[in-house]
Amino acid sequence: MKHKIAFIDMDGTLYQTENDIIQESTLAAIDQLRQAGYKIVAATGRPLNQMKLIMDRVEFDYYVLINGGYILDRDLNEINAFPIVQRTVNDLVQLAKDNEYGLMFHFGDATYIYNDFYPMYYFSKYANVLDSLFYDPTHSFHKRHRVFNAVILTKDPAGLDAFMEAHPNLRSDLINIKTEGIAYDIFNSATDKAEGIQAVLDYEGLDWEDAIAFGDSTNDTQMLEKAGIGVAMGSATDYVKSFADMETTDVYHDGIYNAVKQILAQEAGE
């Protein structure tokens, strides 16, 4: 079967986050997919403003952003959006204030730090996501704009664990970082990259069997499992790999290129 669309995770899959590198082999693989008629889609936990360095080097047909919470076409027109409800956003603001957590909100095309400016700034710098980063000491921007994701930075997650138990409408994903504290992505429990991908597939008149998905993290598991071919990067845990159809090498060793070479060869032989 010839597939028609490729969904690609960014950090740890397409992009070497800590050194701002996209392998030339990865760019060549994407060109090969395009020449074979594939649509190319970014599927990431990042908001739009944190995609600039990548978009300068890769052209995408769609953007599944903020773990499926914000979906755009190639011209950055909104296809669908799933923001966190206002009352829950207010609760997150109060949680960070009461526990002195670092707090950062993604608003689709801008990111605002609310608490612990410098720890959150250094986290963003480490992750190469400083574009459109602002500070809101008034804690009011969220009252006028849709919030799609929060990042919590803490040395003691006990308070966050209790908060999550009291807010089953949210889910929390650990972000592995080397800066001070432990960072967590907080977003709608019903939101997943797979939900955003479904919106793109519906828009294109395609189904999951038409799709190839590349990923390395727990937030990629559903798309790896549902895609016609799910490709886990070599750096992925055994748990993540258990959802995929095949495994490739890691982002530093031509992971996407090696997988694409194998997949296109198989399709050519059918």
Side-chain angles (χ1 to χ4, degrees):
M1 171 184 177
K2 186 179 186 302
H3 299 79
K4 300 175 181 178
I5 191 164
F7 296 91
I8 307 175
D9 171 55
M10 298 294 101
D11 297 274
T13 300
L14 178 143
Y15 183 67
Q16 296 175 197
T17 311
E18 69 281 0
N19 54 19
D20 183 31
I21 289 175
I22 300 176
Q23 294 280 349
E24 289 299 319
S25 66
T26 299
L27 298 176
I30 290 173
D31 284 343
Q32 289 178 342
L33 288 172
R34 283 204 178 281
Q35 291 170 14
Y38 280 78
K39 300 281 187 181
I40 306 298
V41 184
T44 178
R46 290 174 175 244
L48 181 62
N49 54 291
Q50 294 178 0
M51 285 288 293
K52 184 178 184 302
L53 293 174
I54 299 171
M55 291 165 66
D56 286 345
R57 285 165 275 183
V58 181
E59 181 180 345
F60 297 99
D61 295 290
Y62 295 95
Y63 300 85
V64 176
L65 303 169
I66 320 180
N67 290 313
Y70 192 45
I71 302 98
L72 306 175
D73 68 13
R74 66 182 299 141
D75 297 318
L76 307 183
N77 299 308
E78 184 176 305
I79 293 177
N80 216 332
F82 307 96
I84 300 173
V85 297
Q86 186 65 52
R87 182 169 62 182
T88 301
V89 175
N90 294 340
D91 290 346
L92 282 163
V93 173
Q94 193 63 45
L95 170 75
K97 180 179 179 181
D98 291 344
N99 293 274
E100 298 183 346
Y101 290 161
L103 174 63
M104 189 163 64
F105 282 133
H106 295 320
F107 295 94
D109 57 358
T111 298
Y112 277 75
I113 295 173
Y114 271 46
N115 288 359
D116 282 358
F117 176 81
Y118 281 106
M120 299 305 293
Y121 171 84
Y122 290 133
F123 160 72
S124 298
K125 184 177 181 181
Y126 167 76
N128 280 310
V129 291
L130 291 175
D131 287 332
S132 300
L133 182 68
F134 304 101
Y135 181 46
D136 183 10
T138 68
H139 293 185
S140 63
F141 195 78
H142 69 282
K143 297 176 181 178
R144 306 184 302 277
H145 299 83
R146 297 176 298 173
V147 172
F148 293 94
N149 169 266
V151 177
I152 293 283
L153 184 66
T154 176
K155 294 181 180 178
D156 181 9
L160 178 59
D161 291 342
F163 178 87
M164 296 302 295
E165 288 182 10
H167 292 78
N169 60 318
L170 295 178
R171 60 183 272 198
S172 171
D173 279 357
L174 174 67
I175 305 173
N176 293 314
I177 62 170
K178 297 178 181 178
T179 51
E180 184 176 354
I182 306 170
Y184 297 86
D185 262 334
I186 312 294
F187 48 96
N188 286 324
S189 58
T191 301
D192 189 272
K193 287 184 184 181
E195 295 299 318
I197 288 172
Q198 186 66 63
V200 172
L201 293 173
D202 291 344
Y203 197 80
E204 281 284 328
L206 301 173
D207 60 33
W208 280 99
E209 284 301 314
D210 296 311
I212 301 173
F214 301 84
D216 73 316
S217 300
T218 54
N219 64 343
D220 300 320
T221 55
Q222 284 199 42
M223 73 174 189
L224 292 175
E225 183 177 36
K226 291 186 174 186
I229 301 178
V231 182
M233 303 297 287
S235 57
T237 64
D238 289 341
Y239 173 76
V240 172
K241 290 175 182 177
S242 71
F243 291 86
D245 300 291
M246 61 179 288
E247 176 185 340
T248 185
T249 48
D250 63 35
V251 67
Y252 305 98
H253 297 94
D254 305 321
I256 290 181
Y257 177 82
N258 289 330
V260 167
K261 181 179 179 181
Q262 181 177 341
I263 290 168
L264 292 182
Q266 290 174 348
E267 292 186 344
E270 290 180 355

